[in-house]
Amino acid sequence: MRYLIVSDLHGNLEALQAVLRESAGGYEHAICCGDLVGYGADPNPVTDWVREHCATVVRGNHDRASTGQDDLEWFNPVARQAAVWTLEHLSPENARYIESLPRGPLTVDSFQVVHGSPLDEDEYVIGAGEANQAFHYLASRLAFFGHTHVQGGFIWNHSRVETITRMPASRREEMLEIDGECAYLLNPGSVGQPRDGDPRAAYAIYDADRHRVEYRRVVYDVDTAQQKIYAAGLPPVLGDRLSVGR
Ligand code: ZN
């Protein structure tokens, strides 16, 4: 069984379309680690795709915020403005769907799916210290997470935590062999708003039979996604940052 793993789509349709073009035929099930909306100008088409195609979806913090389930006070002003805009533009059906999304962790076959960490859906697992703690709460040896918008993740190797380094900009994919002796907390990266300095849309393919995860990056039409953000009256910085992947 092969899984398409996507996270942090954030209403960026052009990025999602590029991911789907590139991954077509390469997987049987699609899994989403949360943050379907917020930031981007196409919350409805992106949510439509997730509703129709993703077998397993956990909610992200922007999904809660953009459907009025959260106090927006702790959001920075730009994120708050985007959440309010999304709240006003989501169709009633899509808003209901997003509201109904479960909190992680969810278990799919032999792996888990979370937005932040297995302990706390809002926690940012950025460094080996946080990962070290998070590994203790995993119910399986493999979990996919999002939230940080940084492709990569962590390997628990005989009680040592290793950080997976970023794929060079010259490469489009990188293979990770899954060793049954280790545990893995893997981030497919963000489809719609990468923040690891690489503006290409990020995703992963997990091949359960071959025990490997393929990290991938794909160039997409950043310009169109930006123009839509500017035209929608969303904070322009949300468009600007897409060119630099920050
Ligand atoms: Zn996010």
Side-chain angles (χ1 to χ4, degrees):
M1 188 72 76
R2 292 166 304 173
Y3 302 86
L4 168 70
I5 317 283
V6 291
S7 190
D8 299 280
L9 296 85
H10 285 290
N12 186 336
L13 182 62
E14 286 69 33
L16 176 61
Q17 285 170 335
V19 165
L20 297 178
R21 260 197 309 275
E22 184 106 335
S23 61
Y27 62 91
E28 284 80 38
H29 287 293
I31 308 284
C32 176
C33 306
D35 276 0
L36 287 58
V37 299
Y39 297 140
D42 277 315
N44 285 307
V46 169
T47 305
D48 289 341
W49 178 82
V50 174
R51 278 173 66 184
E52 198 173 330
H53 297 281
C54 288
T56 301
V57 186
V58 294
R59 68 184 188 186
N61 52 321
H62 288 262
D63 300 323
R64 294 201 315 271
S66 302
T67 49
Q69 298 180 78
D70 253 2
D71 195 346
L72 296 177
E73 228 139 89
W74 57 273
F75 261 42
N76 69 53
V78 166
R80 192 184 312 148
Q81 238 177 299
V84 169
W85 183 95
T86 305
L87 187 64
E88 288 166 0
H89 287 82
L90 268 179
S91 70
E93 312 85 73
N94 282 337
R96 265 197 304 278
Y97 169 76
I98 290 176
E99 266 168 24
S100 73
L101 291 176
R103 172 207 303 259
L106 295 181
T107 299
V108 186
D109 302 330
S110 58
F111 63 93
Q112 286 191 294
V113 182
V114 303
H115 184 61
S117 95
L119 181 62
D120 175 356
E121 61 181 333
D122 292 333
E123 186 190 352
Y124 290 90
V125 181
I126 295 168
E130 291 115 14
N132 193 5
Q133 217 188 13
F135 273 116
H136 291 99
Y137 295 92
L138 281 190
S140 57
R141 283 185 172 270
L142 171 62
F144 291 96
F145 72 103
H147 197 37
T148 63
H149 298 211
V150 175
Q151 191 178 50
F154 304 91
I155 306 171
W156 172 274
N157 188 354
H158 300 96
S159 77
R160 214 178 64 239
V161 175
E162 297 166 6
T163 302
I164 298 166
T165 51
R166 186 155 71 82
M167 176 192 320
S170 56
R171 301 205 49 165
R172 296 170 61 192
E173 54 183 62
E174 202 111 307
M175 194 75 81
L176 176 70
E177 303 286 343
I178 301 293
D179 178 340
E181 299 283 298
C182 299
Y184 297 84
L185 256 172
L186 305 182
N187 191 327
S190 169
V191 172
Q193 196 200 72
R195 290 181 199 158
D196 48 11
D198 184 341
R200 297 175 297 172
Y203 68 103
I205 300 282
Y206 169 45
D207 189 327
D209 303 324
R210 290 179 164 161
H211 308 287
R212 63 191 200 192
V213 173
E214 225 177 287
Y215 288 105
R216 294 194 184 167
R217 296 306 277 244
V218 56
V219 171
Y220 74 95
D221 185 355
V222 171
D223 193 52
T224 298
Q226 287 175 319
Q227 294 311 322
K228 286 181 176 177
I229 287 172
Y230 303 143
L234 282 155
V237 64
L238 294 174
D240 299 346
R241 67 189 298 177
L242 295 179
S243 341
V244 286
R246 290 280 178 207

